[in-house]
Amino acid sequence: MKAWKSLDPQEVETVIQKVNAIWGADIMTHLLGKYLLVKREGERSEVYLVPTSDLKLLNLLTSSLTQQNGQLIYAKTKLGFFIRNQFHLGIESLSFLFAVAAPPTRKLILQPKETQQFIYGKNLEHPSPQTLRQLEELAVQEWEDETPIIVLSDRQIPLGLGSYRVNGNSRWLLNIIDVGIYLRAEKTAF
Amino acid sequence: MPKSSNKTSAFGQHRDAQKTVAREFIKRWEFFYGKERAQELFHQLRLEDPRIIAPNTLLINLHDLQRRLERQGFKFSTLPEYTALGVQYEPFNLVATPEYLGGWFSIQALSSLIPPRVLPLDNTATIADLAAAPGIKTSLLAMEMKNHGTILALEKSKKRLSALKATLARMGVHNTFVINLDSTKFAQLHISVSGVLLDAPCSGTGLKLTKDKRLAPRILSDISRLASIQSQLLENAWQQLQKGGTLVYSTCSLEPEEGEVLIDTFVSQRKPEEVELLPIPIQVGWPGNETHWYEPFSSPSLEHTRRIFPDIGIDGFFIAMMRKLVR
């Protein structure tokens, strides 16, 4: 049975820095006034945002479920996960962050054909001029090379996370995670 | 015990289907619902379900969803009474659209839309969904609650948890605790709730036969076994319901033991000042007390329950809503 715990201060700091870097703005300070960060421990420790008002219920659930051989599997909003001390933002968090936080400043809006490619799990090896221009603008602003970028469809639907890659003369978008995973890997990804 | 006077089955001409539908079910339906309705019911069970989509109202309304998808070549009939669309033409599979993957709509049976929407909800409610996978009804509850309050989504089967979590993630549900627990143990969690959705595991005899030929493996003993589990689930849920709280009970079964009889027994075992059967605000089906049973039903308020037949383009099911009047 996987245990539920609060994050230690170092882990909290890691999460804050990573989320803020991806979003391009400090959204976590505001959120952590209303939400707690908790984790479900495992090889891949899942990190959740739970409203502070639910702390009592969370404690009651974890203790009574232990007695009944049940398990708490998911707690309100999954923010991401830790693997080998590295925090990764989860795709489940995007709809929540879009709903509660200011829009991300680091985002990439794809063309319709690119949207289809991206949600099929593919990298964009030959980005359109419009997409390439956006990627280059992101690079000019000196963000960390491999910090994920929020990827949106042309109709403003969050599609996932990508990363800008440059190799010699070629510039492309690496697909880190996309919403197509809900179909491709429903049984293993969640 | 009265018996059906029909000597020949209403389904005599459907020999191939008779192989699928057990003889005892046919006789039962003729007895419960009348020969003519049973014949129509069986005919409808053999038809394909229309593909139905419903907007994720956290993100988009019905009109905008329709307009958005029609721009991509899809065609729909509107079902405003269900806040849903019937799919008439797909230039490509709907699930390959960014709108589906982004959680802007769900695909489900029309009958799935009703139970979560009749449960009175507010933004501060704590609701238990006692058979939550694959998560469509849980998502609908979250939409009705505007993603506020708390849903306790219980699922006994470990295998079905992935689908449940994926649905909640895709639909952007952020007010739910997912719990792997047999719901017959719900009362032992000692958590009181203001509402319960109990879409109980059932024989599924109201589902279209194209869905896994569900009637084929069913035998009558299943009905009594399932009714016993449903009764346990209901008792457990009722125990944790707060005074003034509401419970919606539904099953996709055509068998009165899993519907009318179960609710009639439950209500008649309690004093009138303890439980109130509430009217279901839908215009389909007939009142539960019109179902023919071997003896008269005890509770006059059974007329507030609804028996829905698969003869209106949706799966057959039963639904009841009860308010708890005491602690």
Side-chain angles (χ1 to χ4, degrees):
Chain A
M1 189 177 292
K2 294 180 178 178
W4 286 81
K5 288 185 179 170
S6 296
L7 268 63
D8 65 41
Q10 179 65 46
E11 289 171 326
V12 171
E13 194 52 39
T14 304
V15 171
I16 291 172
Q17 282 183 11
K18 190 70 182 270
V19 176
N20 287 346
I22 292 171
W23 214 255
D26 179 8
I27 56 170
M28 287 304 288
T29 305
H30 172 67
L31 283 177
L32 291 181
K34 296 177 183 171
Y35 296 86
L36 296 165
L37 284 168
V38 293
K39 65 179 174 181
R40 184 170 181 245
E41 284 197 319
E43 204 171 294
R44 174 176 148 137
S45 290
E46 297 172 345
V47 176
Y48 291 84
L49 273 171
V50 179
T52 48
S53 54
D54 282 335
L55 182 60
K56 195 175 159 191
L57 178 60
L58 179 66
N59 287 332
L60 182 59
L61 276 172
T62 48
S63 62
S64 53
L65 281 167
T66 307
Q67 290 167 18
Q68 299 305 323
N69 287 328
Q71 277 195 78
L72 179 62
I73 303 292
Y74 196 97
K76 297 232 160 166
T77 302
K78 187 174 162 192
L79 189 64
F81 51 91
F82 276 102
I83 295 181
R84 292 186 287 276
N85 297 325
Q86 291 280 319
F87 177 73
H88 302 268
L89 190 68
I91 192 147
E92 305 93 329
S93 68
L94 292 183
S95 57
F96 175 77
L97 295 177
F98 268 84
V100 301
T105 58
R106 300 184 66 245
K107 61 185 176 190
L108 177 70
I109 299 170
L110 300 184
Q111 297 299 303
K113 272 191 178 173
E114 293 171 326
T115 294
Q116 288 299 333
Q117 257 182 285
F118 192 77
I119 62 177
Y120 277 81
K122 293 177 181 164
N123 301 326
L124 297 186
E125 289 173 3
H126 305 289
S128 65
Q130 297 95 319
T131 302
L132 200 54
R133 197 176 313 125
Q134 292 178 72
L135 283 169
E136 284 168 348
E137 279 173 18
L138 288 171
V140 166
Q141 291 173 42
E142 294 180 6
W143 280 305
E144 274 181 61
D145 248 356
E146 295 187 9
T147 300
I149 302 163
I150 311 276
V151 180
L152 304 173
S153 79
D154 59 316
R155 298 190 295 275
Q156 301 292 318
I157 299 171
L159 299 177
L161 298 167
S163 176
Y164 182 41
R165 296 295 163 95
V166 178
N167 188 0
N169 284 334
S170 63
R171 283 140 204 249
W172 51 289
L173 181 77
L174 175 79
N175 179 327
I176 297 175
I177 183 105
D178 66 272
V179 289
I181 198 163
Y182 294 129
L183 287 184
R184 294 196 303 271
E186 177 192 271
K187 287 185 180 164
T188 51
F190 298 98
Chain B
M1 182 187 294
K3 286 183 181 173
S4 169
S5 60
N6 304 317
K7 287 186 178 175
T8 55
S9 163
F11 312 103
Q13 65 267 41
H14 301 298
R15 287 187 182 182
D16 57 331
Q18 275 195 332
K19 289 175 189 167
T20 307
V21 182
R23 186 183 300 271
E24 54 266 56
F25 281 105
I26 297 168
K27 283 185 181 167
R28 284 163 62 80
W29 295 347
E30 287 177 354
F31 174 68
F32 299 140
Y33 308 122
K35 187 174 177 180
E36 197 176 320
R37 181 169 283 277
Q39 193 166 14
E40 175 60 18
L41 185 160
F42 182 65
H43 168 70
Q44 291 291 338
L45 277 177
R46 298 176 73 207
L47 300 178
E48 288 274 347
D49 260 339
R51 203 170 199 197
I52 304 293
I53 69 169
N56 181 349
T57 53
L58 297 169
L59 297 171
I60 196 166
N61 62 38
L62 184 69
H63 176 72
D64 288 349
L65 176 68
Q66 181 174 5
R67 204 174 47 180
R68 211 173 163 121
L69 292 172
E70 282 182 345
R71 271 195 220 130
Q72 297 171 59
F74 294 94
K75 288 182 182 165
F76 303 99
S77 57
T78 48
L79 302 160
E81 68 276 30
Y82 294 99
T83 321
L85 300 169
V87 181
Q88 290 188 327
Y89 174 70
E90 288 180 68
F92 57 95
N93 198 327
L94 266 167
V95 301
T97 58
E99 281 80 2
Y100 177 79
L101 295 169
W104 291 50
F105 67 89
S106 56
I107 302 174
Q108 72 293 294
L110 267 185
S111 51
S112 300
L113 294 171
I114 296 171
R117 287 181 177 166
V118 299
L119 189 63
L121 297 167
D122 64 54
N123 295 354
T124 58
T126 301
I127 303 293
D129 180 356
L130 294 185
I136 295 292
K137 292 189 183 80
T138 317
S139 305
L140 288 162
L141 286 173
M143 288 176 214
E144 296 295 313
M145 297 164 79
K146 310 271 187 265
N147 237 346
H148 295 296
T150 296
I151 300 172
L152 304 174
L154 275 74
E155 178 52 51
K156 177 183 175 184
S157 164
K158 282 195 169 109
K159 281 183 184 171
R160 303 187 79 198
L161 287 170
S162 301
L164 173 59
K165 287 194 288 179
T167 303
L168 299 183
R170 186 178 65 79
M171 298 300 286
V173 172
H174 299 295
N175 68 344
T176 299
F177 288 103
V178 175
I179 295 163
N180 179 212
L181 184 74
D182 182 345
S183 290
T184 57
K185 295 180 179 176
F186 176 57
Q188 289 157 45
L189 295 183
H190 307 293
I191 294 169
S192 64
V193 292
S194 51
V196 173
L197 178 64
L198 177 52
D199 185 45
C202 68
S203 59
T205 54
L207 296 173
K208 297 293 171 76
L209 295 173
T210 49
K211 293 176 183 165
D212 304 331
K213 299 196 184 318
R214 283 171 190 267
L215 282 177
R218 302 295 176 192
I219 52 169
L220 282 176
S221 61
D222 273 349
I223 308 294
S224 49
R225 180 180 62 81
L226 286 162
S228 158
I229 294 168
Q230 289 151 2
S231 176
Q232 276 183 62
L233 288 169
L234 185 56
E235 291 291 346
N236 251 271
W238 191 254
Q239 211 174 314
Q240 294 315 112
L241 194 62
Q242 295 162 2
K243 182 183 177 185
T246 310
L247 182 149
V248 168
Y249 173 89
S250 61
T251 56
C252 50
S253 164
L254 292 171
E255 315 313 313
E257 295 95 321
E258 301 180 77
E260 294 89 338
V261 176
L262 188 96
I263 295 299
D264 186 52
T265 307
F266 182 84
V267 171
S268 58
Q269 283 170 348
R270 286 162 175 79
K271 295 173 186 164
E273 58 270 27
E274 292 178 17
V275 55
E276 178 187 13
L277 269 167
L278 302 171
I280 308 287
I282 54 171
Q283 303 303 318
V284 292
W286 71 18
N289 62 335
E290 290 183 17
T291 297
H292 186 193
W293 186 241
Y294 300 107
E295 53 198 49
F297 292 119
S298 314
S299 169
S301 55
L302 203 67
E303 65 180 343
H304 291 320
T305 66
R306 298 300 287 184
R307 162 61 59 194
I308 287 89
F309 299 99
D311 57 0
I312 52 167
I314 65 175
D315 292 324
F317 72 107
F318 172 83
I319 182 166
M321 180 158 62
M322 297 180 280
R323 184 181 293 139
K324 190 173 180 180
L325 303 174
V326 291
R327 265 181 192 274

